[in-house]
Amino acid sequence: MSVKAPQEMNNHSILAQVPSVDLLLRREEIEGLLQRHPRYFVLKGIREVLEEVRRELRAGSAQQGGAGTPGEEEIVARVQARVKKITRPGLRRVINAAGIILHTGMGRAVLPKAAVEALKIMEGYVNVQVDLRTGKRSQRDYFVETMLCELTGAEAATVVNNNAAATMLALNALGEGKEAIVSRGQLIEIGGSFRLPEVMQTSGVIMKEVGTTNRTHLKDYEQAITPSTALIFRAHPSNYRIQGFTHQPELKDLVVLAKKHNVAVVDDLGAGAFMELSHFGFSDEPLVQKSIKDGADLVLFSGDKLLGGPQAGIIVGKKALIQKIRKNPLSRVLRVCKLTLCALEATLTLHFDRDLLIRENPLYTLLARDIGALESRAQALAGRLRECAPRFTCEVLDDISFMGSGSLPMEDIKTKVVAVTPPGGDCEKLAQALRESEVPVFTRISEQQILLDMRTLLEGEDELIARAFQEIDRTWSSP
């Protein structure tokens, strides 16, 4: 017969004081959790906390003067915190203090309030693909097509899930098994290492390169056209520029050449500007409506870049070609959902009034911010941080913001930043702590300082940043 050692008996006695799962489930606070969260997650939280308590007690009993069993109130509080953490959504609202306006990692364009409000209709059924007058099946993107045609002057339009999808669909529908001519200077690579030659290959067209990296002439295109040519593809180099001894034919000239040989011209603009950016002091990006006016058969662009809306790939152009695209099997594979169509329609509405667009679309609101106003806001935030996080030193500096997502790659956007130096100088530690705040804060690091860029802060976020720093200051431990 074995006899338990005193230490083992002591461990058993201590662990026996830990409340059971069933006991905790009868607590009023836990019943409240069950009303708000799936039972699975509440049970998971309880079991994790109880196992954590048992580990602490085992470790404590091995040492003299170890801590006693925590009371039920403390355990319940820990369960509440654990369930909150477990059930926290993976996609969360974050603060962009990094100074990149169209930040791919943070969803590119911030949706206008009008688009967010419009999404509330999704609480019920919606007429996404049914005609209210006849009650019969209708075209899914009819409403946004109407608006896109009015804004751009195109005959027709359709929408897919991003601009890479728009490119592949257009190429496949117009040129599968045939040649697509493209300048070597436009064989671009977009984010995530997706390259135009690979997209063309996957779409089924035969890519035919012409010209050189820096210079391609109209005669290069003309000499390349054969009876097997389906289209001329022009790609705007959104995320880079080739400068110096360069040449590319004008779109108008490509259109004249294409008509002469009965081939199509597809103009991939990438960012897809509807408004001249010289209004904000920047070099103009090619306008969608100008490409249509110059005669492009199809124009492709993104919905979440300079349009300032949800992720989408938008195709506008000749009606016969849009109809051909709609009949392509890939069109159904790549189509967008009702959420995208709803948000896109609300975003497009703002583009009918420039002043309203600047006032109500966050992308243009951020671009239009005056440097003097940014200075005042930076000084106010720096002062607030000195009050609530006195161990961190702050100063206001001149800096530059970036458009991001391949838009305006050569433009420096003047801004003001609050530069923060943490105790001990560990900027990586501070950056991580800010990302792990109740409302995550993204920053950038430069010259051993954390920079908070004022241009990309939305209204009300200054105080959220101050609260994050207050909590970090309270728990910060320097090496």
Side-chain angles (χ1 to χ4, degrees):
M1 180 177 176
S2 62
V3 179
K4 292 183 178 180
Q7 182 63 48
E8 187 178 349
M9 294 175 64
N10 187 45
N11 281 348
H12 180 76
S13 175
I14 292 173
L15 293 176
Q17 299 176 38
V18 177
S20 68
V21 172
D22 288 339
L23 178 63
L24 290 176
L25 284 172
R26 291 194 292 271
R27 293 277 307 205
E28 182 179 348
E29 302 93 325
I30 302 301
E31 288 179 354
L33 289 177
L34 289 168
Q35 294 295 319
R36 300 190 301 273
H37 304 290
R39 184 180 180 87
Y40 172 85
F41 294 117
V42 176
L43 286 172
K44 180 180 174 66
I46 291 174
R47 287 167 179 151
E48 286 183 1
V49 168
L50 292 181
E51 181 56 34
E52 188 178 82
V53 169
R54 292 185 187 103
R55 285 198 303 269
E56 292 170 359
L57 291 173
R58 290 189 192 100
S61 66
Q63 305 171 8
Q64 285 190 345
T69 306
E72 278 188 28
E73 297 294 334
E74 180 184 338
I75 291 175
V76 167
R78 287 167 68 167
V79 169
Q80 289 173 317
R82 184 63 56 91
V83 172
K84 180 180 179 181
K85 182 178 180 181
I86 291 172
T87 57
R88 178 176 285 166
L91 280 180
R92 297 166 58 192
R93 164 76 182 272
V94 302
I95 295 174
N96 177 10
I100 301 172
I101 297 172
L102 295 175
H103 197 298
T104 299
M106 286 180 255
R108 291 186 177 168
V110 176
L111 283 180
K113 287 183 180 178
V116 176
E117 285 295 315
L119 288 170
K120 290 182 179 179
I121 68 168
M122 296 301 160
E123 291 177 343
Y125 294 102
V126 295
N127 58 318
V128 67
Q129 206 163 343
V130 62
D131 188 300
L132 295 178
R133 184 176 63 86
T134 66
K136 295 181 179 179
R137 186 181 179 90
S138 65
Q139 184 181 296
R140 173 175 283 256
D141 52 11
Y142 170 78
F143 299 108
V144 296
E145 179 186 34
T146 301
M147 300 177 82
L148 285 165
C149 290
E150 289 184 29
L151 286 166
T152 67
E155 295 177 5
T158 191
V159 182
V160 290
N161 58 20
N162 61 25
N163 196 47
T167 301
M168 178 172 289
L169 177 56
L171 289 171
N172 182 264
L174 272 60
E176 184 178 18
K178 296 183 178 181
E179 295 172 350
I181 300 174
V182 60
S183 168
R184 285 190 175 90
Q186 296 173 6
L187 294 177
I188 60 175
E189 176 180 313
I190 61 176
S193 299
F194 291 97
R195 297 177 173 180
L196 182 57
E198 295 164 359
V199 173
M200 285 190 155
Q201 182 181 21
T202 305
S203 72
V205 301
I206 302 166
M207 185 179 72
K208 197 167 186 179
E209 303 173 40
V210 296
T212 63
T213 302
N214 60 320
R215 292 178 69 82
T216 302
H217 301 274
L218 190 65
K219 65 180 181 181
D220 296 321
Y221 287 93
E222 186 161 25
Q223 291 169 0
I225 294 175
T226 71
S228 297
T229 301
L231 61 97
I232 293 172
F233 188 86
R234 192 178 85 142
H236 176 58
S238 299
N239 55 4
Y240 72 98
R241 294 291 183 270
I242 299 175
Q243 297 179 331
F245 188 57
T246 64
H247 179 78
Q248 289 288 343
E250 294 292 329
L251 177 59
K252 287 182 178 180
D253 297 328
L254 289 176
V255 169
V256 171
L257 175 64
K259 285 183 177 179
K260 177 181 173 181
H261 294 276
N262 196 31
V263 298
V265 175
V266 177
D267 194 17
D268 186 348
L269 296 182
F274 279 24
M275 181 172 66
E276 293 179 349
L277 297 180
S278 55
H279 178 81
F280 303 98
F282 307 128
S283 301
D284 281 329
E285 285 279 299
L287 300 179
V288 176
Q289 52 267 45
K290 185 176 186 305
S291 289
I292 291 295
K293 186 178 180 181
D294 287 348
D297 295 287
L298 292 178
V299 182
L300 322 175
F301 55 97
S302 296
D304 56 352
K305 292 186 179 180
L306 295 181
L307 187 67
Q311 177 181 298
I314 301 171
I315 309 173
V316 298
K318 298 291 192 294
K319 187 173 183 178
L321 298 183
I322 296 294
Q323 288 176 338
K324 190 173 183 179
I325 284 172
R326 283 201 173 104
K327 292 178 181 178
N328 188 288
L330 282 176
S331 183
R332 183 175 179 85
V333 173
L334 301 171
R335 74 181 186 181
V336 295
C337 73
K338 58 187 178 182
L339 301 172
T340 301
L341 291 171
C342 182
L344 181 58
E345 182 182 352
T347 301
L348 288 170
T349 301
L350 301 177
H351 281 267
F352 286 91
D353 185 319
R354 190 178 73 174
D355 292 338
L356 182 65
L357 179 70
I358 294 172
R359 190 168 67 248
E360 298 294 335
N361 190 305
L363 166 63
Y364 292 100
T365 302
L366 299 182
L367 280 178
R369 282 179 169 170
D370 176 72
I371 196 70
L374 294 180
E375 167 79 25
S376 299
R377 191 174 178 184
Q379 293 291 355
L381 178 57
R384 181 77 177 90
L385 294 183
R386 293 184 189 108
E387 291 175 3
C388 64
R391 290 199 286 167
F392 294 80
T393 58
C394 306
E395 58 180 328
V396 175
L397 302 174
D398 294 318
D399 213 289
I400 56 172
S401 304
F402 303 94
M403 180 63 83
S405 293
S407 304
L408 304 181
M410 306 301 291
E411 299 282 357
D412 291 344
I413 306 172
K414 292 181 180 179
T415 192
K416 293 288 182 175
V417 299
V418 176
V420 182
T421 304
D426 193 341
C427 287
E428 291 291 348
K429 177 183 175 182
L430 176 56
Q432 181 179 344
L434 287 167
R435 291 194 303 272
E436 294 176 348
S437 299
E438 182 67 23
V439 180
V441 181
F442 283 79
T443 61
R444 66 178 185 267
I445 299 174
S446 178
E447 304 290 334
Q448 280 85 49
Q449 290 178 308
I450 288 286
L451 302 186
L452 302 167
D453 194 315
M454 306 310 296
R455 184 168 294 279
T456 48
L457 292 188
L458 303 179
E459 294 303 318
E461 292 184 337
D462 309 56
E463 183 56 30
L464 294 175
I465 290 174
R467 292 177 194 171
F469 268 95
Q470 186 173 33
E471 180 61 22
I472 293 169
D473 182 82
R474 186 180 66 83
T475 59
W476 186 273
S477 58
S478 298

